[in-house]
Amino acid sequence: MRRPLVVANWKMNIGRADEALDLVRRLRPSLSRLDKTDIVVCPPFTVLVPLAEVLASSPIALGAQNVHAAAAGAHTGEVSPSMLTGLCEYAIVGHSERRAAGETDSDVNAKVLACVEHSLRPIVCVGENLAEQEAGDTDAIVAGQVARALEGLSPEQVEVCVVAYEPIWAIGSGRAATPAAANRTMGLAVRGSLANQFGESSAQAVRVLYGGSVTSSGISGFMAMPEIDGALVGGASLTSEFADLVRLADDSTM
Ligand code: 13P
């Protein structure tokens, strides 16, 4: 059984300590009562330290939104996985907004390997753009991204990874994929690719999330799908709506 996981990606929002602390203090009481769902907040780097202090004895874990692949050195403005250990349990890698800014599959792969080496669980983002979807290329694009992102991991290492299927056209557009279409791609392209590369048993162990315009009104439909283990949430994670969304996800779990 895969444990459900809901991840908040704050992106470049809520980066001031007072705002960030205010939001997590509002979320924490209701989220702390849930026990079937893993909850992760990925804020900007600037507020990881104060949030880690406030969340220390809560079930809410922290994640980074990006990492650099190198352990240390002359990389101005970057943060390495080793700097995040003890602070974060997860790190988002290969978000489409970073891929659009030039991150390649091989960059994503290097970051995934660096995360795993430093005991951070990578949340590896994959997804097709609108033209690729309209051309019927979704499965090939997504399966290829999964395979290249995870190259070089052992089957045991891949089991700590999370894959987030985020169709680019659904991100921030208010136009989510249907639960059935997302479930299909996540089963065939994501888990199919994992099974080819790492074997069926590891493929069944990896948690696969859906992301792209997930709201509290849509979450239950996604959670009802067998291949969907949770969600990566942008806009709806920036307010107390996130508490309702996670509670509904938790309620959908047997
Ligand atoms: P939205 O939920 O705002 O569409 O963002 C999705 C996303 O990109 C999460 O990583």
Side-chain angles (χ1 to χ4, degrees):
M1 268 305 280
R2 299 181 294 267
R3 201 171 145 82
L5 169 64
V6 180
V7 181
N9 177 8
W10 287 3
K11 307 192 179 182
M12 202 170 71
N13 299 300
I14 324 185
R16 266 189 13 219
D18 57 341
E19 300 167 314
L21 290 170
D22 178 59
L23 178 55
V24 296
R25 284 191 178 118
R26 279 188 286 133
L27 295 173
R28 195 179 45 183
S30 48
L31 294 185
S32 296
R33 286 195 289 274
L34 309 178
D35 57 3
K36 291 175 294 202
T37 305
D38 288 342
I39 307 160
V40 181
V41 171
C42 302
F45 286 125
T46 48
V47 291
L48 280 172
V49 171
L51 288 189
E53 285 163 10
V54 168
L55 296 175
S57 55
S58 91
I60 306 171
L62 285 173
Q65 295 179 18
N66 181 37
V67 290
H68 194 274
H75 302 287
T76 302
E78 300 289 350
V79 176
S80 72
S82 64
M83 294 172 183
L84 296 167
T85 44
L87 204 52
C88 291
E89 197 179 323
Y90 293 81
I92 297 173
V93 174
H95 193 282
S96 60
E97 289 153 12
R98 297 198 58 82
R99 292 181 189 256
E103 201 161 290
T104 64
D105 281 334
S106 100
D107 296 330
V108 174
N109 178 239
K111 291 178 180 201
V112 167
L113 296 173
C115 283
V116 170
E117 188 184 333
H118 291 93
S119 306
L120 280 176
R121 295 170 179 269
I123 300 169
V124 183
C125 300
V126 297
E128 81 288 1
N129 65 29
L130 187 59
E132 291 161 345
Q133 193 230 16
E134 286 174 349
D137 293 339
T138 296
D139 290 356
I141 295 285
V142 169
Q145 286 174 336
V146 170
R148 291 188 293 275
L150 302 175
E151 223 170 87
L153 292 177
S154 68
E156 292 70 34
Q157 287 173 322
V158 86
E159 292 181 17
V160 307
C161 298
V162 175
V163 177
Y165 168 58
E166 297 205 302
I168 295 169
W169 47 268
I171 294 176
S173 65
R175 198 163 74 84
T178 64
N183 184 69
R184 186 196 152 281
T185 301
M186 291 159 76
L188 284 176
V190 178
R191 230 179 280 285
S193 177
L194 291 168
N196 276 341
Q197 212 168 348
F198 301 102
E200 189 58 33
S201 141
S202 290
Q204 288 302 326
V206 174
R207 289 183 291 183
V208 184
L209 312 181
Y210 169 76
S213 297
V214 177
T215 61
S216 52
S217 56
I219 185 68
S220 304
F222 288 110
M223 296 306 292
M225 293 288 151
E227 297 292 353
I228 303 183
D229 303 314
L232 179 55
V233 186
S237 75
L238 299 175
T239 65
S240 35
E241 178 185 357
F242 188 64
D244 298 330
L245 190 157
V246 181
R247 185 178 44 76
L248 288 162
D250 195 73
D251 285 349
S252 320
T253 305
M254 248 77 81

